[in-house]
Amino acid sequence: NFTSPSPSNDWKPGSDKYAASIFIQDQIINPHPRFGTLSANIRTRKGETVDINIPIFKDVDTKPPQYGVTYDPNFEGKPTLPIGAKEDCIYMDAMAFGMGCCCLQCTFQCKDIDEARLLYDQLANLSPIMMVLSASAPIFRGYLADIDVRWNVISCAVDDRTDEERGKIPLK
């Protein structure tokens, strides 16, 4: 055990109140009520856990990702994908995976709309460069990713859109 408090031995993946994750327990969520509530509200509105699928880096020695709370280095074959997981992707199912990424957020205050437009136009050119310079997220759940920025993980971690809103099923 490398966490404090240690994980509960009788924990069942997917059974927790807030995240309902197959990988992590709710006890890692900050104890302030807003964090657990936010995680539960996203899951409730969406109707399922968040689906974070990040392409895995494939080379000759890359084995398919394993799912669950244990890892078997001798596992051979094709694992059964959990609901929401995509093949050849690192699957994560909780807001904690995205919110666990370190980020720097800057808030700018402008004196009026003209200054805000000028700043927006300048940042539209600089933001992609800053994203590349700050790229530092190549590993998720112990697997090497085929991306190097955190943006997709963070945005998927808080995506509360329903299947209809994501275009998976027709709108009612």
Side-chain angles (χ1 to χ4, degrees):
N1 292 332
F2 56 89
T3 61
S4 178
S6 296
S8 170
N9 290 331
D10 61 347
W11 177 68
K12 304 261 186 292
S15 66
D16 283 339
K17 176 181 176 183
Y18 298 117
S21 172
I22 62 172
F23 303 111
I24 60 167
Q25 297 180 13
D26 279 354
Q27 71 184 30
I28 72 155
I29 299 172
N30 185 306
H32 189 283
R34 82 172 173 182
F35 296 103
T37 303
L38 177 60
S39 187
N41 287 347
I42 289 171
R43 189 173 45 79
T44 301
R45 184 180 188 285
K46 187 173 187 166
E48 58 191 16
T49 60
V50 295
D51 297 327
I52 307 169
N53 286 286
I54 301 301
I56 193 166
F57 178 79
K58 300 280 266 181
D59 69 4
V60 294
D61 295 319
T62 303
K63 294 182 179 180
Q66 295 180 33
Y67 305 98
V69 294
T70 59
Y71 177 79
D72 178 5
N74 299 316
F75 178 80
E76 295 292 332
K78 195 172 183 176
T80 303
L81 296 176
I83 295 171
K86 295 179 181 174
E87 199 166 325
D88 293 328
C89 286
I90 304 163
Y91 175 66
M92 297 166 278
D93 67 347
M95 195 178 143
F97 288 107
M99 299 302 101
C101 294
C102 295
C103 300
L104 173 64
Q105 178 177 328
C106 298
T107 303
F108 296 93
Q109 181 174 344
C110 301
K111 66 181 179 184
D112 57 28
I113 192 71
D114 292 327
E115 187 177 63
R117 285 183 182 136
L118 178 66
L119 184 60
Y120 179 88
D121 290 343
Q122 299 302 313
L123 290 175
N125 296 316
L126 291 175
S127 293
I129 296 168
M130 290 190 288
M131 183 180 271
V132 169
L133 292 174
S134 67
S136 61
I139 300 170
F140 298 97
R141 279 193 43 241
Y143 296 100
L144 188 60
D146 204 15
I147 63 167
D148 57 2
V149 294
R150 303 172 290 263
W151 179 250
N152 289 342
V153 178
I154 294 168
S155 65
C156 289
V158 293
D159 185 3
D160 68 346
R161 295 175 298 160
T162 63
D163 284 346
E164 292 170 336
E165 293 167 337
R166 288 179 283 156
K168 288 186 166 185
I169 60 173
L171 292 171
K172 292 178 184 172

